[in-house]
Amino acid sequence: MAGERFTVVRPDDLLVLDVELVNLVVDGGRLARADRSRPAHLLVHLPPQHVLEASIGVGEVPPRPLPAFVAGPSRLVLTLAEGVEEIEFSVEGILTWWPPGRLNSQTVPRSFTPDDPGDPTTIGGLPVTAIEFPARLLICHENDARWWHRTRPFTADGRTEVWHTQLVPVEGPPAELRLRAFGLRRGRPARPWSLPTEAQLEDVLFLVNTDEIPPPVQGPVLEAAARLGIDQNLAWQLIVEAWQAGSYRPQPLYTERFMLTPLGASVRMRGQWDYPDVRHDVDAFVRLLQELGVPNPAVEHYHHVTGLGRDQYVRVVERGRLHTGHRAAITEIRERVFDTDEKGWPVAVLVRRRFITVQEPEVRYGGRDLPFASLRITDTVTPPLASDTDEREPFWIRLDSGKDHFFTVIGTDSRGGQVTFTLPAVFVPASAPLPDPVYRDGPEERRTRPLGNQVVALADDGGASTSFPVRNMTFDLPDAAALTMERAAILVPAIEELTGEAAERTVTYLQAYVDDGLDHAASGAFLALADGVPLNLGADQVGGLASPAATLNTISSRGGVLPDALATADTFTEDQLAAVFAGAKLLGSVPLAKVLAAVTTPLDATAFPSQQQLTEEMRTRLAAAKEPSLPVPILRTTRVPDGTELQYLWKPALRSIDLAGLGRLDLDRAWLLLDARMLRGTGGTVTTTVTGTLRAFAIEFAGVARAEFDELTFASRPGVKPDVSARGVELTFQGELDFVNELQNLLPKDCFGAGSLVDVTPEGVRAGYALAVPSAQVGVFNLQNLVVSAVLTIPFGDEPTRLRFALSERHSPFVLTIMAFGGGGFFALEVGTEGVVSVEGALEFGGSVALDLGVASGGVYLMGGVYFRWTDGAAKVTGYVRCGGYLSVLGIVSVSVEFYLALEYEKRTIEGRRISVVRGVGSVTLSVRVLFFSKTVTLSLEKSFEGSPGDPTFEECVEPADWDAYCLAFA
């Protein structure tokens, strides 16, 4: 009778089977076909073949009770072979499945459509073979295998074995047999402690049972890209370049032993798959694959050993990678071991271990945003991992202790140098999204790793100019999952020498370098300093010639440490230079930025001499001619036998400018060379040598004087007084003072050369001459005490450069006599780059006549003088006249009379208006002496005249009509 079901129970060997008849009826002692035109089947239902037990971690105490989960029943489908119409209706008859040709074991077709999508065990209304092992996974054997077992109980030495049926090949000796997964029993509660997990079983089902994956079609790809907002051309290019899944061929599960029993299965089976990797370095590609529904299974190895339904050893390996790009796999093993429970009773429990194996120890990188050309991991297997991680999401690799695991990594930079450091890592399963959010979680030390001042070439030219000791490096994962350097704390020798501090400097890559390499700028700039470093070679270091104050915030391979504007551009406008050198001074007070000429010819790498080219010969050539120039200063360090030497070299192009004080700095033929070196010896001693040279320049002082210099040099060397020298100086007076040029033949040809006045003080340098003109006497003409002096003052501070010219001095005037007439005076003129500072002078003149007649003697005299001074915009003139006479008669009577008149003129500012003030002082003194009696009488008068701030102006005094008539009269 069709559809009849009965149970076979045999206590001797614990046989328990449920048998269901399809197109078979019981006919006496036989099972016969009910309809000979249709297939006849025996459906053999077996008890559950697998018990899924919870596991414990290493060192944990097993709980009681221990959670477990029993699989559903399994079913074998046996079909009567063609020509066989009946079989014996007995236990032995039903169990006679061997040899083939009588009852054949049926397998599931490779391509099938189940009647119910939620139940893959029924096809075309007929049940199919469905062995649930492990729990939830439905498998069947391939056609090259059959079931073999004893039909009767087998007893030996008084023991009867449990009934079992074993999968064996149809022909030939026992060998590895193939199994195929074809479905999952769904709808059961998830068990977080199960292994394999449901996601892993999904992978196994796909890897074993799927057909070849066809390549993507352009239409759906472009539609998916549009939905995601991804550029369609980029999307299709990524798919075409990276698609590899179409080359995959499904691989079965292999079994060495597959045995079914009433107590559960005893199995040794394994699976190994090599599914192609898909790219993870482009976020758009990962999202596109997910949108297209392209599977990306993670499982690559599965090994399962079970005895009588209880797991003995389970090993699942899932492929993935570390966030560094190293291909890796996470392995979970559950192995049954003997232990004791919380009461001390012996138990056999499953102990789980998870660890990660780095399958690709070395990865090479091609971008410029990471200084390492490759990273090699030396410890490729981790200790047991913490068990509280999600296997299908990116996670930080932590150990059972809860602490991060640190891989030992050897990084090789672009010059082949190697550094060793430790690095925690994020494991990214193959099917997981990008690890960006997870990577930025947790303590900062995960991303910032100490390198212990190991030297790393941070740019790809491999030269010493790009290599620095690195304290620590912070890594990042941008929108694409490619490891980059976010920042680094490095030691910059040039800055150490400059500041005298061995402080770390935080740097980041310049985006222009990342995009285009070192050739994006002539300087080869590649790093940006987070905090700029002030460069201030003070005037006391370069003799007031130039104090190149600037902020250093960029590191270049050819120019060393530079301001950003100079490091990242190839031409420089005058405004750009002014912004860089704001506050810097030339000759004490002239803004350096104003005299720097624009660089209009684009610079290239040849504008920066290499370390080997920085020789004394090159410095001599730079100092000898205007060309070539170094428009961008070089600040570099180099190793020398005695220590480390900092080199600062600069030869900018200059231009002439008008000074604020109506003067002019003539630099049309000039060039400036600054050469500073700082040697830090191995014993910590610091030796600084600075040379500053300004050649072929001239200073015009407010139209009254012009000083021309062939060379002005300042040299500072350790242990020696600074040496200031000027060569080829010519001083020419102009305008109202051109008469002084007549004395040119008396001046030395090199006013500031050897033997001249050179005075170096902490305030600055004074250099010049004081020439005493020999006394000249020709007949009744006599000139004495005439001194011609000129002193140039170059301060070390912010004061302006000044020139003082003098004919004698107030405290030591010259003397001129002609017969009975005589006088003297002095003159001094001080001008600076800001204009005329002061003009001062004085002249005295007069005559004296004496008479002696014997009984009477006497004389008369007349003297006059004038003193003038102009300073700070105020003028003052003072003059006097003094005359008198005396008479003495026989020494008894003496009479003397003196008249004195002094006038003083000055200009004052009252209520914002300039007014003139004249003040006069006059006195008459009469003195009479008769014998012992004397009397002196003085009469004096003082009077001042000054203009009133309220006096009408010219405009107020003249009517417009009168002014027009006046202008027409002289037109």
Side-chain angles (χ1 to χ4, degrees):
M1 153 178 83
E4 184 174 354
R5 183 168 180 165
F6 53 87
T7 301
V8 177
V9 177
R10 191 166 62 191
D12 293 346
D13 53 4
L14 303 181
L15 173 64
V16 177
L17 297 174
D18 281 344
V19 180
E20 186 176 357
L21 305 179
V22 177
N23 196 30
L24 287 173
V25 294
V26 178
D27 184 9
R30 301 278 181 179
L31 290 177
R33 289 180 187 265
D35 184 350
R36 295 190 178 186
S37 64
R38 294 172 51 206
H41 307 284
L42 284 179
L43 306 183
V44 180
H45 298 273
L46 289 85
Q49 295 297 303
H50 185 234
V51 178
L52 186 63
E53 300 178 41
S55 60
I56 62 173
V58 177
E60 294 181 4
V61 176
R64 278 185 179 271
L66 193 68
F69 178 79
V70 178
S74 295
R75 178 176 59 213
L76 302 179
V77 177
L78 304 173
T79 303
L80 268 68
E82 291 186 11
V84 178
E85 302 297 329
E86 59 183 23
I87 60 174
E88 180 182 348
F89 184 40
S90 64
V91 174
E92 289 81 3
I94 293 173
L95 294 180
T96 303
W97 304 349
W98 192 265
R102 185 169 175 270
L103 281 175
N104 297 325
S105 178
Q106 297 299 310
T107 186
V108 180
R110 179 166 291 279
S111 297
F112 71 96
T113 301
D115 296 352
D116 182 359
D119 181 12
T121 62
T122 303
I123 302 174
L126 294 175
V128 296
T129 295
I131 304 171
E132 185 175 343
F133 183 89
R136 292 192 176 90
L137 182 66
L138 300 177
I139 61 176
C140 64
H141 61 80
E142 295 285 17
N143 288 324
D144 58 352
R146 293 292 183 269
W147 298 102
W148 180 90
H149 50 261
R150 301 179 191 273
T151 59
R152 297 181 180 180
F154 176 74
T155 301
D157 297 330
R159 297 182 176 87
T160 302
E161 68 178 7
V162 176
W163 179 88
H164 59 277
T165 183
Q166 184 172 351
L167 197 63
V168 296
V170 174
E171 296 179 356
E176 287 188 332
L177 298 173
R178 295 177 296 171
L179 303 173
R180 180 164 53 84
F182 67 90
L184 287 174
R185 279 206 170 110
R186 305 181 186 277
R188 299 183 180 181
R191 296 295 185 269
W193 34 262
S194 63
L195 187 73
T197 64
E198 190 157 345
Q200 292 168 341
L201 292 177
E202 293 275 9
D203 286 354
V204 171
L205 179 64
F206 172 83
L207 293 166
V208 170
N209 198 55
T210 190
D211 291 328
E212 179 179 346
I213 303 173
V217 180
Q218 186 173 18
V221 171
L222 299 183
E223 293 173 3
R227 290 194 299 271
L228 296 174
I230 301 173
D231 181 83
Q232 293 183 329
N233 292 330
L234 172 64
W236 181 246
Q237 178 183 355
L238 291 172
I239 289 291
V240 171
E241 290 180 355
W243 184 259
Q244 301 180 55
S247 62
Y248 175 71
R249 297 293 183 274
Q251 297 293 323
L253 291 164
Y254 291 93
T255 179
E256 301 174 12
R257 180 182 66 185
F258 199 88
M259 182 185 300
L260 305 179
T261 77
L263 301 180
S266 293
V267 176
R268 285 181 177 272
M269 73 175 184
R270 60 178 176 80
Q272 186 79 32
W273 301 277
D274 187 17
Y275 192 81
D277 285 328
V278 296
R279 295 179 61 180
H280 282 74
D281 58 343
V282 181
D283 177 62
F285 183 72
V286 175
R287 293 189 292 119
L288 187 61
L289 290 182
Q290 294 173 345
E291 182 70 15
L292 292 171
V294 177
N296 188 23
V299 173
E300 65 178 16
H301 180 80
Y302 170 44
H303 189 189
H304 205 141
V305 179
T306 302
L308 297 180
R310 299 187 69 188
D311 291 336
Q312 306 300 315
Y313 180 87
V314 183
R315 182 173 184 260
V316 179
V317 180
E318 289 187 279
R319 62 189 178 88
R321 60 187 176 85
L322 305 184
H323 76 273
T324 55
H326 294 77
R327 191 172 66 251
I330 181 169
T331 300
E332 183 167 0
I333 296 176
R334 302 198 180 183
E335 188 173 12
R336 192 171 298 277
V337 299
F338 288 99
D339 203 344
T340 56
D341 63 9
E342 54 192 8
K343 295 183 178 180
W345 291 93
V347 292
V349 294
L350 290 173
V351 177
R352 63 177 177 271
R353 291 181 292 119
R354 300 175 70 220
F355 56 89
I356 288 175
T357 303
V358 179
Q359 299 171 320
E360 184 183 17
E362 185 170 10
V363 169
R364 303 195 65 83
Y365 304 95
R368 300 186 187 94
D369 47 5
L370 185 70
F372 300 112
S374 68
L375 290 178
R376 179 162 59 89
I377 297 176
T378 60
D379 46 342
T380 57
V381 180
T382 70
L385 305 181
S387 57
D388 58 346
T389 54
D390 189 340
E391 292 83 355
R392 288 304 172 101
E393 294 293 333
F395 62 89
W396 282 100
I397 301 174
R398 294 180 297 111
L399 305 182
D400 267 340
S401 62
K403 297 181 179 179
D404 290 336
H405 172 68
F406 293 90
F407 289 95
T408 300
V409 179
I410 298 177
T412 303
D413 59 25
S414 59
R415 63 181 174 84
Q418 293 185 335
V419 296
T420 303
F421 57 98
T422 60
L423 186 71
V426 173
F427 180 77
V428 187
S431 58
L434 298 177
D436 303 34
V438 175
Y439 182 73
R440 290 176 177 83
D441 289 344
E444 180 69 15
E445 67 175 8
R446 280 177 165 169
R447 299 193 301 121
T448 301
R449 302 307 306 145
L451 267 68
N453 292 342
Q454 298 179 88
V455 177
V456 179
L458 297 178
D460 55 7
D461 76 335
S465 57
T466 63
S467 300
F468 299 92
V470 179
R471 288 273 180 91
N472 59 67
M473 189 175 294
T474 301
F475 299 96
D476 191 20
L477 288 174
D479 49 62
L483 190 67
T484 63
M485 185 190 83
E486 177 182 320
R487 63 182 183 273
I490 67 175
L491 298 178
V492 185
I495 297 179
E496 288 185 37
E497 301 295 329
L498 184 66
T499 62
E501 299 178 358
E504 62 187 43
R505 306 289 170 175
T506 300
V507 296
T508 57
Y509 278 121
L510 292 174
Q511 189 59 44
Y513 162 74
V514 174
D515 295 338
D516 301 320
L518 290 174
D519 292 333
H520 78 94
S523 68
F526 63 101
L527 290 177
L529 288 164
D531 299 313
V533 178
L535 167 67
N536 190 4
L537 292 179
D540 56 336
Q541 292 179 285
V542 290
L545 292 181
S547 53
T551 299
L552 306 177
N553 44 28
T554 304
I555 298 177
S556 68
S557 64
R558 303 183 183 107
V561 190
L562 299 172
D564 176 66
L566 301 183
T568 57
D570 298 333
T571 59
F572 313 105
T573 65
E574 294 167 355
D575 291 340
Q576 288 174 321
L577 294 173
V580 172
F581 293 104
K585 303 293 183 181
L586 177 70
L587 298 175
S589 64
V590 179
L592 182 61
K594 289 186 176 182
V595 303
L596 295 177
V599 180
T600 56
T601 302
L603 303 179
D604 56 21
T606 60
F608 298 85
S610 66
Q611 197 70 50
Q612 293 73 22
Q613 293 173 326
L614 281 178
T615 62
E616 294 301 327
E617 179 182 355
M618 177 184 179
R619 286 180 164 87
T620 302
R621 291 199 307 270
L622 287 174
K626 185 175 182 179
E627 299 295 341
S629 64
L630 289 175
V632 176
I634 296 173
L635 183 65
R636 290 201 297 236
T637 57
T638 182
R639 294 287 180 183
V640 296
D642 298 333
T644 303
E645 184 178 59
L646 170 69
Q647 299 175 332
Y648 182 86
L649 192 63
W650 189 26
K651 187 180 180 182
L654 304 176
R655 63 189 178 102
S656 301
I657 62 168
D658 292 328
L659 302 174
L662 303 180
R664 180 174 175 79
L665 184 58
D666 187 351
L667 300 173
D668 290 344
R669 299 180 301 109
W671 69 93
L672 170 69
L673 178 63
L674 295 180
D675 185 359
R677 307 183 213 182
M678 185 181 298
L679 175 63
R680 190 174 298 275
T682 55
T685 59
V686 178
T687 303
T688 303
T689 302
V690 180
T691 302
T693 303
L694 183 60
R695 293 193 172 190
F697 72 100
I699 306 175
E700 294 184 3
F701 296 96
V704 299
R706 176 183 173 89
E708 296 187 359
F709 296 79
D710 284 348
E711 180 179 281
L712 181 61
T713 302
F714 176 90
S716 173
R717 295 176 178 82
V720 180
K721 185 177 180 180
D723 179 20
V724 180
S725 63
R727 183 170 56 82
V729 179
E730 182 177 350
L731 182 62
T732 304
F733 290 90
Q734 302 169 337
E736 299 300 326
L737 297 180
D738 59 357
F739 71 92
V740 182
N741 295 328
E742 299 298 328
L743 301 174
Q744 186 72 24
N745 59 336
L746 300 177
L747 302 181
K749 297 300 181 183
D750 192 350
C751 295
F752 303 132
S756 61
L757 167 66
V758 177
D759 185 17
V760 180
T761 67
E763 288 73 30
V765 176
R766 294 176 66 250
Y769 66 89
L771 177 64
V773 179
S775 299
Q777 185 172 4
V778 180
V780 294
F781 175 88
N782 188 11
L783 176 64
Q784 297 177 320
N785 201 33
L786 177 62
V787 178
V788 181
S789 63
V791 178
L792 179 67
T793 302
I794 302 176
F796 289 160
D798 294 332
E799 296 80 7
T801 298
R802 290 182 176 177
L803 173 68
R804 188 178 191 277
F805 171 78
L807 295 175
S808 299
E809 297 289 349
R810 183 193 306 185
H811 60 274
S812 180
F814 60 84
V815 177
L816 175 64
T817 60
I818 302 176
M819 297 181 61
F821 301 96
F826 75 95
F827 172 79
L829 170 67
E830 185 173 356
V831 292
T833 53
E834 78 279 28
V836 177
V837 178
S838 67
V839 181
E840 184 181 27
L843 289 174
E844 290 184 316
F845 52 88
S848 177
V849 177
L851 179 64
D852 188 356
L853 300 176
V855 295
S857 62
V860 294
Y861 62 90
L862 175 64
M863 301 292 294
V866 61
Y867 167 80
F868 61 91
R869 183 184 66 189
W870 183 91
T871 183
D872 296 331
K876 182 177 181 180
V877 179
T878 301
Y880 74 92
V881 176
R882 188 174 66 203
C883 63
Y886 65 93
L887 177 64
S888 176
V889 181
L890 298 176
I892 298 173
V893 178
S894 298
V895 179
S896 65
V897 178
E898 183 181 62
F899 172 76
Y900 176 80
L901 175 63
L903 294 177
E904 180 178 295
Y905 168 84
E906 63 179 331
K907 281 194 172 185
R908 298 177 181 174
T909 301
I910 300 178
E911 296 181 1
R913 302 183 68 176
R914 299 282 290 174
I915 64 172
S916 299
V917 178
V918 178
R919 186 177 62 175
V921 177
S923 65
V924 177
T925 301
L926 175 62
S927 178
V928 179
R929 183 174 63 86
V930 179
L931 293 176
F932 302 105
F933 172 79
S934 65
K935 183 66 175 179
T936 301
V937 178
T938 301
L939 301 176
S940 61
L941 175 66
E942 180 176 348
K943 186 66 175 177
S944 295
F945 305 92
E946 64 181 36
S948 171
D951 289 344
T953 64
F954 178 80
E955 180 183 2
E956 295 170 340
C957 294
V958 179
E959 293 293 333
D962 297 336
W963 176 251
D964 292 341
Y966 175 82
C967 292
L968 290 173
F970 291 94

